[in-house]
Amino acid sequence: MALSSMTGFARSHGASGPYAFEWELRSVNAKGLDLRMRLPPGWDDLEASTKKRAGELLSRGTIYANLNVKRANAASIVRINEDVLASIVRVASELAGRVDAVAPSIDGLLGIKGVIEVVEPESDEAEDTAAKAAAAIAFEQALTELVQMRQREGETLGQILIQRMDEIERLAKKAEAAPGRKPEAIRARLAEQLAALLEASDRFDSDRLNQEALLIATKADIREELDRIASHILQVREMIGKGGPVGRRLDFLAQEFNREVNTCCSKSNDLELTNTGLEMKNVVEQFREQVQNLE
């Protein structure tokens, strides 16, 4: 299976009988799957089937689906409501003898609310049914295009994530080889610090110094953290290779990466090792940001 991004856009057009329609789909990041539809009045029965189909092809993301429908050769009919007009004329006649006013004009009468009615043409049930079936097919086309676009972006994201794994692996090896994490280096630093404090290197026990150096080296050892980082790198590469909706699991591994790198930095008592850890932390953050876009 391919990796998929959660962002994408697709559009499809169709026509059936007097109807012409257009679907527009937009997809953005989300924790789960949420399909939000905007349908014209009378087309609501498309919602259940389209949501079901989207759920079969997509796992995560907020999908905005808009359907625009136009009906050709179906001009609205304008007619006069004779009952309302007759009532208004009757009232005007009754008032004519009571007040000094100008007789109502045609324009004035037609401008009164309710006198003129705009009647939409009657729809044909068979035409409506056929149009909705065609619109469902057009939705499938737009959805397929959306899935393909998300997969293309997912492929690009996968390549970026592999590059981040290569960088983390390189930095982990650099940290492992750092001279400052070796017991001899720790012992030398400890001896230098004690010599500065005591102002004489012959006033402390060399055997005790060796023991303290080994203890500090043990506490500062990042072997376990480096092993876990290597394990996480392997898991990420396997997930990307298999593909599918792995965004949540990769996000969890991003948190684990961050935890291990923070521990490495906190244990470090060497400037070079600290700088390597901070550089690795930056790459982990880049990895985490990209993972947020994956399905």
Side-chain angles (χ1 to χ4, degrees):
M1 295 177 66
L3 289 177
S4 291
S5 167
M6 283 191 285
T7 59
F9 177 83
R11 180 181 287 144
S12 66
H13 301 81
S16 176
Y19 294 100
F21 43 81
E22 176 188 77
W23 281 102
E24 184 176 286
L25 305 184
R26 292 185 297 113
S27 174
V28 297
N29 295 356
K31 292 183 178 180
L33 178 62
D34 183 16
L35 181 59
R36 304 181 182 182
M37 308 200 71
R38 181 185 295 173
L39 301 172
W43 294 71
D44 296 339
D45 47 352
L46 283 174
E47 184 170 357
S49 60
T50 50
K51 280 190 173 183
K52 178 182 178 182
R53 184 56 180 154
E56 293 172 353
L57 297 183
L58 305 173
S59 298
R60 292 177 68 195
T62 297
I63 317 299
Y64 298 93
N66 296 331
L67 174 62
N68 297 312
V69 179
K70 293 182 179 180
R71 189 175 181 185
N73 302 323
S76 300
I77 301 173
V78 179
R79 70 185 182 187
I80 296 176
N81 189 319
E82 297 290 349
D83 295 335
V84 174
L85 180 60
S87 298
I88 293 173
V89 171
R90 184 175 63 255
V91 171
S93 299
E94 292 175 356
L95 292 175
R98 302 182 193 177
V99 297
D100 185 13
V102 179
S105 64
I106 295 179
D107 291 345
L109 290 173
L110 295 180
I112 298 175
K113 184 177 180 180
V115 174
I116 293 181
E117 295 179 341
V118 179
V119 181
E120 298 295 332
E122 294 184 3
S123 59
D124 181 274
E125 184 176 351
E127 288 179 345
D128 290 353
T129 300
K132 291 174 182 177
I137 295 174
F139 177 82
E140 179 74 19
Q141 295 170 347
L143 184 61
T144 299
E145 183 180 332
L146 180 68
V147 170
Q148 291 173 348
M149 181 176 182
R150 285 167 48 127
Q151 288 178 347
R152 288 193 298 270
E153 291 196 11
E155 181 179 358
T156 301
L157 284 175
Q159 295 172 357
I160 294 174
L161 295 179
I162 288 296
Q163 292 173 3
R164 297 296 175 267
M165 288 301 100
D166 292 343
E167 293 178 36
I168 293 174
E169 185 175 45
R170 176 183 64 81
L171 291 169
K173 291 179 179 178
K174 182 179 179 181
E176 184 173 11
R181 63 180 294 264
K182 298 183 182 300
E184 311 87 69
I186 297 174
R187 181 182 183 281
R189 286 197 301 274
L190 183 60
E192 182 180 351
Q193 293 168 0
L194 287 176
L197 290 173
L198 301 176
E199 298 182 348
S201 60
D202 57 351
R203 295 177 60 186
F204 56 84
D205 186 350
S206 59
D207 292 336
R208 180 63 182 272
L209 174 61
N210 287 330
Q211 294 175 3
E212 292 295 332
L214 290 174
L215 180 61
I216 294 175
T218 300
K219 291 182 178 179
D221 186 25
I222 59 172
R223 177 73 268 158
E224 291 185 9
E225 287 74 20
L226 293 177
D227 287 343
R228 283 193 288 269
I229 288 174
S231 175
H232 297 338
I233 292 173
L234 180 61
Q235 291 182 65
V236 169
R237 286 173 172 163
E238 288 179 350
M239 288 182 189
I240 293 175
K242 292 180 180 179
V246 295
R248 286 193 182 94
R249 284 179 286 172
L250 289 177
D251 185 53
F252 171 77
L253 285 177
Q255 298 175 41
E256 293 300 303
F257 270 123
N258 193 58
R259 192 193 323 276
E260 303 302 341
V261 174
N262 282 338
T263 304
C264 288
C265 291
S266 66
K267 285 185 173 183
S268 173
N269 55 5
D270 175 73
L271 180 60
E272 180 184 352
L273 186 57
T274 299
N275 290 336
T276 301
L278 293 175
E279 188 177 353
M280 195 186 310
K281 184 176 177 65
N282 182 54
V283 179
V284 168
E285 179 60 22
Q286 294 173 3
F287 171 79
R288 188 195 66 80
E289 290 177 353
Q290 294 294 347
V291 163
Q292 303 304 310
N293 299 314
L294 277 181
E295 183 177 25

